[in-house]
Amino acid sequence: MKNDTPEELNPDKEIGRLIDEVMSSSLTDEQYRKKMQRRKEVQDQRIAQAVPEKGLIIVNTGNGKGKTTAALGMVLRSLGHGYKVAIVQFIKGSWEPSEKRVFSSWEDQIEFHAMGEGFTWETQDRDRDLDKASAAWEKSLEYIRNPDFHLVLLDEINIALKMGYLPVEDVLAGLAQKPANKHVILTGRGAPQALIERADLVTEMTLIKHPFRDQGVKAQPGIEY
């Protein structure tokens, strides 16, 4: 039987095995040190073999909270590095969210377009929702194609796709036009499978408890908006 060498081992499995082993309370201090040293070797090897840079298509989806919040964390990082960022909101436009006021401090680096008119049950006008989604997508394409913008956030675009306001084929074709090093984040529940398959990074937020559903607590400033 062929023995596994470090080069042949799957790095993820190797790190998982080492984590399981170091959680054992029976390890001596020396055994713990050696296993953590091995973990560092595996991690260093992975980093050394990694591609130095690639523009990513990032999808934040799922029924849990935090999809837009996680995306805004990446926006802040990009701003901190001095990059230009564009945000296009597809659904939440009627809120004039607090994030827009905060980001005005970086007005020379960021462009923010809230182009929706609120949730679909508020607008109650499918034709108008279609027109708004189409306009938001055209604006998004301008930033996706523009090499001056390092990061583009398409907030709640997955909702527009799920509701049929935008054809997923059009969005995939538009994403294919981005410069090689540009990052694009697409948020919202119900991301279509074709988009998930095309993306480089996909995170699903899982709903376990929610104060509105479980306790009847309304959306609050600083938490939801």
Side-chain angles (χ1 to χ4, degrees), residues 15 37-50:
I15 289 175
Q37 183 181 42
R38 174 57 187 152
R39 182 184 177 187
K40 183 178 185 304
E41 290 171 356
V42 175
Q43 188 66 21
D44 288 348
Q45 184 180 19
R46 295 178 74 188
I47 293 173
Q49 296 173 345

Side-chain angles (χ1 to χ4, degrees), residues 62-65 189 204-211 213-214:
N63 294 329
K65 282 180 57 61
R189 63 180 63 195
E204 181 177 8
M205 309 297 186
T206 301
L207 175 62
I208 297 176
K209 297 176 72 175
H210 194 290
R213 185 192 67 176
D214 300 326

Side-chain angles (χ1 to χ4, degrees), residues 5-24:
T5 66
E7 290 75 22
E8 293 168 337
L9 289 170
N10 180 299
D12 290 326
K13 291 182 179 179
E14 173 81 344
I15 289 175
R17 180 183 65 79
L18 290 167
I19 290 174
D20 289 341
E21 291 177 356
V22 299
M23 291 175 64
S24 171

